[in-house]
Amino acid sequence: MAQWTSAVGAAQLARLLNSQQERPAGPGTRRPPAYRALADGVRLLVLEGRVPVAARLPAERELALSLSVSRTTVAAAYEALRAEGFLESRRGAGSWTAVPAGNPLPARGLEPLPPEALGSMIDLGCAALPAPEPWLTRAVQGALEELPPYAHTHGDYPAGLPALREMLAERYTARGIPTMPEQIMVTTGAMGAIDAICHLFAGRGERIAVESPSYANILQLMREAGARLVPVAMAEGLAGWDMDRWRQVLRDAAPRLAYVVADFHNPTGALADEDQRRRLVDAARSAGTVLIVDETMSELHLDDGLEMPRPVCGFDPAGSTVITVGSASKAFWAGMRIGWVRAAPDVIRSLVAARAYADLGTPVLEQLAVNWLLSTGGWEQAVEIRRTQARENRDALVTALRRELPGWEYDVPRGGLTLWVRTGGLSGSRLAEVGERVGVRVPSGPRFGVDGAFEGYVRLPFTVGGAVADEAATRLAAAARLVESGANGGTESPRTFVA
């Protein structure tokens, strides 16, 4: 059985290779042989995630014709990639991309930093801001006032508190998406929602299509559930989804599920436009794929005058293709572990029934707090505080990075909480490792890819501002200098990835 889960055509690979900007050679520098340049180009595309891991590459003759080189050049490049662990082949099945053995996904960068370390370490690992006071305190006080009637019950509400389900349904309806409370289930955060959906729809070994890059914690959740992840590369910069690639993957791989973040994608910050949303829903419906649409960032639009596209579920009036997931964690506070699912009533009934063997329900007090916020107007005021914090932090971080690390590349998103940064050819894993030694904690790019892609990236969240953002950039620059110099405390020299 073939080990590839998607395919890259010869013309597409040629376009990607030609898009790589060749760095000017210094005085006396010899150009590498043609096969070596081709191998390095493919390797860089894999490590950047522009060509997914486990993607079948075109036959040697086809690629040679598309690149106008000899078949011998392509054969030699493929052989070099196999020797380095970036290509695997099997007679009759072709060749597909890989990442060398011994390069595990980095384990650092996204777990919460222990409180005792906060004084000495700048934590850029978690994309989460402090609670927007005084609204957290007011919400908890309001919840305590509403608690007594619920305290006289068993306290288990597998579908969520009726009042909160009704309030969430009203909010979708106000956005132009008619919704009944029977279409809502309250969960323990967005992670709990997606875990429940995956267990319902995708058994072990099922294929799930994911954006590449994608949210690291969701990728790990799906791996541990036994899913076979099929990466679909994002379009360049902040252009959103590459619909040609999505159509190809949905048609060829026929995944049971697909997970996407349409609104201020984590980690790139891209915002999918309405045409992309419509086309993705149509393609998924044709393929029989259920879309999980993560809306946790949808309210964090930071720039004035930005008109938000219609929700993805708005292009699925029958409710057969799109399952929407929301959460209070990003828009309000990560410590408020309240999420929700909007789906067809029969899907909600199945998810609720399955909770008898999972967590039974979501804590009542937190649900009452969110309901208080939504029903009093406190939610809108708290989210506005959050937007202001994120906007100021984003601008401070970008200013500091431009000063300290002018060679790093990124597109500044118009919302969300994350900046996806190309590190000028340096290993993101090495930067994460050295960064902790100089007092700044960042997650490396491979955490957001499938099987080690995006080695040349790091994700920087908008969680610090002012002088702290300046210091974070200074420490990142120090880490970059150490990586460039090979000062790794006796470990192997850092790898750079330059085509």
Side-chain angles (χ1 to χ4, degrees):
M1 180 178 177
Q3 299 300 305
W4 50 273
T5 57
S6 62
V8 180
Q12 178 187 3
L13 183 56
R15 285 195 302 270
L16 291 170
L17 288 165
N18 290 332
S19 71
Q20 294 173 337
Q21 293 186 352
E22 187 173 307
R23 299 192 176 198
T29 302
R30 296 174 57 187
R31 289 186 176 274
Y35 86 89
R36 183 69 261 172
L38 175 56
D40 287 347
V42 173
R43 177 170 58 97
L44 180 61
L45 288 172
V46 172
L47 289 165
E48 290 182 340
R50 297 173 68 193
V51 169
V53 175
R56 188 176 187 269
L57 294 187
E60 295 169 1
R61 187 184 303 277
E62 295 174 0
L63 185 57
L65 288 172
S66 292
L67 292 173
S68 299
V69 299
S70 70
R71 183 177 177 181
T72 302
T73 296
V74 177
Y78 277 17
E79 182 58 36
L81 289 167
R82 276 190 288 269
E84 296 164 3
F86 286 92
L87 196 69
E88 296 181 10
S89 304
R90 181 177 298 170
R91 186 177 297 276
S95 299
W96 55 92
T97 57
V99 168
N103 285 19
L105 291 174
R108 300 171 177 166
L110 291 181
E111 301 79 8
L113 190 66
E116 61 270 16
L118 290 175
S120 59
M121 183 76 68
I122 298 177
D123 186 10
L124 299 181
C126 296
L129 289 161
E133 289 288 25
W135 293 106
L136 175 62
T137 298
R138 292 180 183 177
V140 173
Q141 290 171 342
L144 288 172
E145 293 174 1
E146 298 292 333
L147 182 61
Y150 295 93
H152 293 293
T153 72
H154 49 64
D156 288 334
Y157 295 87
L161 295 184
L164 181 55
R165 296 176 72 196
E166 183 174 353
M167 181 60 63
L168 291 168
E170 289 177 2
R171 287 178 63 84
Y172 278 105
T173 300
R175 294 168 67 189
I177 313 297
T179 303
M180 304 178 295
E182 293 79 7
Q183 292 177 262
I184 301 292
M185 181 178 81
V186 181
T187 62
T188 307
M191 293 286 290
I194 294 170
D195 183 55
I197 295 166
C198 289
H199 278 89
L200 179 63
F201 282 91
R204 298 192 70 85
E206 290 272 11
R207 292 180 176 180
I208 301 179
V210 295
E211 297 152 323
S212 184
S214 186
Y215 179 38
N217 288 340
I218 293 297
L219 295 180
Q220 190 59 30
L221 180 155
M222 292 176 174
R223 290 188 190 99
E224 293 182 359
R228 296 178 61 192
L229 300 183
V230 183
V232 185
M234 296 286 288
E236 289 294 313
L238 298 177
W241 298 321
D242 185 322
M243 289 310 306
D244 289 339
R245 292 178 180 177
W246 268 107
R247 276 194 296 268
Q248 180 182 5
V249 166
L250 292 174
R251 182 184 65 243
D252 296 346
R256 184 70 182 93
L257 292 173
Y259 168 76
V260 296
V261 184
D263 303 298
F264 310 120
H265 173 257
N266 186 354
T268 68
L271 177 65
D273 62 34
E274 288 205 3
D275 183 60
Q276 290 172 337
R277 296 172 190 230
R278 181 184 296 105
R279 292 163 65 192
L280 182 60
V281 172
D282 290 345
R285 185 183 297 116
S286 298
T289 298
V290 174
L291 290 176
I292 306 174
V293 179
D294 187 335
E295 286 192 336
T296 54
M297 296 280 193
S298 64
E299 296 193 62
L300 294 177
H301 42 89
L302 306 183
D303 289 349
D304 294 334
L306 177 61
E307 184 175 346
M308 291 295 293
R310 193 178 185 197
V312 178
C313 58
F315 301 99
D316 180 38
S320 61
T321 300
V322 176
I323 298 177
T324 303
V325 172
S327 170
S329 296
K330 300 299 185 185
F332 186 74
W333 184 47
M336 188 70 76
R337 304 304 305 158
I338 298 295
W340 51 87
V341 177
R342 182 202 180 273
D346 62 319
V347 172
I348 294 298
R349 286 193 294 270
S350 297
L351 289 170
V352 170
R355 292 192 91 167
Y357 311 102
D359 61 358
L360 293 178
T362 301
V364 170
L365 188 63
E366 283 87 339
Q367 291 188 72
L368 288 171
V370 171
N371 189 62
W372 183 92
L373 286 164
L374 294 174
S375 61
T376 62
W379 179 270
E380 285 72 19
Q381 295 184 63
V383 171
E384 190 54 46
I385 293 173
R386 172 66 74 241
R387 293 190 190 112
T388 300
Q389 291 174 321
R391 183 186 307 113
E392 292 175 351
N393 289 353
R394 179 197 64 181
D395 296 347
L397 180 63
V398 168
T399 298
L401 287 174
R402 285 173 176 162
R403 180 182 65 250
E404 298 292 339
L405 291 155
W408 286 17
E409 301 172 19
Y410 42 84
D411 292 288
V412 181
R414 304 190 68 184
L417 288 173
T418 57
L419 192 68
W420 186 235
V421 181
R422 196 174 186 176
T423 56
L426 298 179
S427 162
S429 297
R430 187 66 69 197
L431 280 166
E433 178 184 356
V434 175
E436 290 207 17
R437 290 197 267 120
V438 299
V440 61
R441 193 167 185 254
V442 295
S444 61
R447 292 297 303 273
F448 303 89
V450 174
D451 295 331
F454 303 107
E455 184 60 63
Y457 290 80
V458 294
R459 188 196 73 173
L460 304 179
F462 311 144
T463 53
V464 297
V468 180
D470 290 339
E471 180 61 22
T474 299
R475 295 184 187 186
L476 281 172
R481 288 192 294 270
L482 288 171
V483 170
E484 287 180 309
S485 68
N488 294 299
T491 61
E492 64 181 37
S493 60
R495 294 181 298 168
T496 58
F497 305 109
V498 179

